[in-house]
Structures are given as structure tokens and as C-alpha cells.
Amino acid sequence: MLFPLSVCAGENGGVAEQNFEAGAEYDQDRDSSGYGLNGAYRLPIAEYFGASLSASAGHTNGEGNRVDSDAGAIEGAAFLRDFEVGKLGLAYRYSHTEFQLGHGFDDVSVNDNTYNVFGQYYWGNFTLIGSRTIVKTEDFDDFNAWFLGVKAYLPYDVSVSGGAGGMDAEDNYSVSAEYQPAFLNQSTSIELGYSKSPHNDSFQLQVNYFFGTNVSLKQRDRQYR
């Protein structure tokens, strides 16, 4: 019974076909810098339904009053999507962070459980984005957040996006741009981002490689991611 489902899945929604993505990133903010690796696998479940599984690992170098840390996370998501209308889904993420205190102190670890409801609406060359997130952390109060944003698709396989978020934490704002160079045959993208909160500014650089899906950014975001 699974074989017929996999054949018809992805014609009008869900995920067009199973695909893999891997990336490397570098982050710099006022008091720290960091780097990491990430990967994602996405697959069609049935017509209009898809799922994804992703993992990441990274290291942060603390400066000033920050300490070094290592972090890893896994995330699973399931969603309903129409390629012409939009996407609505649920996600769960588990992350583990080890803080290296040094000076004779034992390392401290923190585990987070993140629950996310997200949605997207496709409007021509624009995508409207919204999400609501709850983070449950051992020995700390729950953290709640919301995010609203918009992404625009430009010529030459470029997308730009901006958004704002907040709730229990103070408000923050972000902008980013992603580009698939033509000479790399739509197999690789370069992404630059900047985010600002009342007490921090952060810059991000990420390089993504897509296995076997040479499509435009717009098609990738709306049918494969």
C-alpha cells in the first residue's frame, strides 16, 4: 500500500519528491562567534501531506562574559501544503547544549523541547510567513514566541525576506537574502542574514547544498522544503 502512495504523492502538494539538503554556517554577534553544520531530509507522505527530519550541531566561542558552548538538535515536522496556496504544519525540536564554564567548574547542560505551529501563504512572488513557538526548558520557565515575516522572490534566483518576532522575550527583527549562483547549476545557495534585538546584533552566513534538485529558489521553497 505504501508504493501507490509514494507514486501519487507530491503532484499538487506536500513535497514534490524526496530530497536532501546539507549546509554549513557561521554566526557573529556582539559577544560571541560560532559555526555549525546542518542537514535535512524531506519526503512526501500522501497527496498534499509531507514531512521533514533535520539535525544540526555547532560550537560557540564566547567573548567577554559569555562562555563557550556546544549544541546539537534534531527536529521533525509534518505539514499540509498546496503548491499554489500555502503550507500549514506542526514541528517538534529537541536540543542539548553544553556550557563550558572552565575555571574548575563542571560543565552545565540544558535540554530544550520546542513545539512550533507554522504557516505560509503564497501570493505571487511573495510568501507570507507566521509561526507560534513554545520552548520548554528544564529548571527554567517556558518561553513563548511569535514570528511574522514576508519573503520576496527576485530575478536571478534571489530571495529576500524580513520579519519581526517577540512575546515573552523582547522584540527582535531580522532580514536575510538567499542566492543560487547560475554557474553552480542551482545546486548550491548562499544565504546572508542579520538580526537585531535590544541587547544584541547578529550576522549569519550559510552555504547550502541540494542533492539532485536543480530548481529555482521559489520552486524549492514551495515544493521541496
Side-chain angles (χ1 to χ4, degrees):
M1 294 181 65
L2 292 177
F3 181 74
L5 283 176
S6 65
V7 170
C8 70
E11 294 180 358
N12 299 298
V15 177
E17 60 180 308
Q18 66 176 350
N19 64 91
F20 301 86
E21 175 181 340
E25 63 179 292
Y26 174 79
D27 300 274
Q28 178 70 57
D29 62 28
R30 295 180 190 175
D31 300 308
S32 64
S33 61
Y35 53 87
L37 299 173
N38 57 79
Y41 169 60
R42 304 178 183 92
L43 72 160
I45 300 299
E47 187 63 29
Y48 297 105
F49 288 92
S52 66
L53 179 65
S54 60
S56 63
H59 176 79
T60 298
N61 298 308
E63 301 172 6
N65 60 354
R66 298 272 189 99
V67 298
D68 293 355
S69 63
D70 294 300
I74 56 173
E75 179 174 335
F79 49 86
L80 169 68
R81 172 162 56 188
D82 185 303
F83 292 153
E84 302 298 324
V85 178
K87 178 181 181 183
L88 183 64
L90 300 170
Y92 166 75
R93 181 174 185 265
Y94 170 80
S95 63
H96 176 82
T97 305
E98 289 276 351
F99 295 96
Q100 302 161 10
L101 301 183
H103 304 290
F105 293 98
D106 293 334
D107 292 350
V108 173
S109 63
V110 176
N111 298 315
D112 294 334
N113 294 279
T114 302
Y115 306 88
N116 181 247
V117 179
F118 58 88
Q120 300 177 356
Y121 176 68
Y122 307 148
W123 182 39
N125 286 325
F126 296 89
T127 296
L128 307 180
I129 304 165
S131 68
R132 180 74 165 86
T133 302
I134 298 176
V135 181
K136 296 181 178 292
T137 303
E138 298 174 0
D139 303 320
F140 295 95
D141 294 335
D142 294 350
F143 171 80
N144 299 275
W146 58 265
F147 177 82
L148 294 174
V150 61
K151 176 177 283 191
Y153 297 94
L154 307 179
Y156 305 105
D157 226 0
V158 174
S159 69
V160 294
S161 61
M167 187 61 76
D168 290 349
E170 296 169 311
D171 294 345
N172 59 81
Y173 307 91
S174 61
V175 293
S176 64
E178 187 173 11
Y179 170 52
Q180 288 189 154
F183 68 89
L184 294 175
N185 195 30
Q186 296 179 314
S187 67
T188 305
S189 77
I190 301 169
E191 190 170 358
L192 295 173
Y194 169 74
S195 59
K196 180 176 179 59
S197 64
H199 304 293
N200 199 16
D201 298 280
S202 179
F203 296 88
Q204 303 88 35
L205 168 64
Q206 179 155 332
V207 178
N208 307 297
Y209 181 78
F210 310 105
F211 295 84
T213 53
N214 305 110
V215 297
S216 68
L217 276 176
K218 182 178 178 180
Q219 185 179 1
R220 186 180 306 285
D221 286 345
R222 296 185 177 183
Q223 296 187 17
Y224 290 85
R225 279 177 163 170

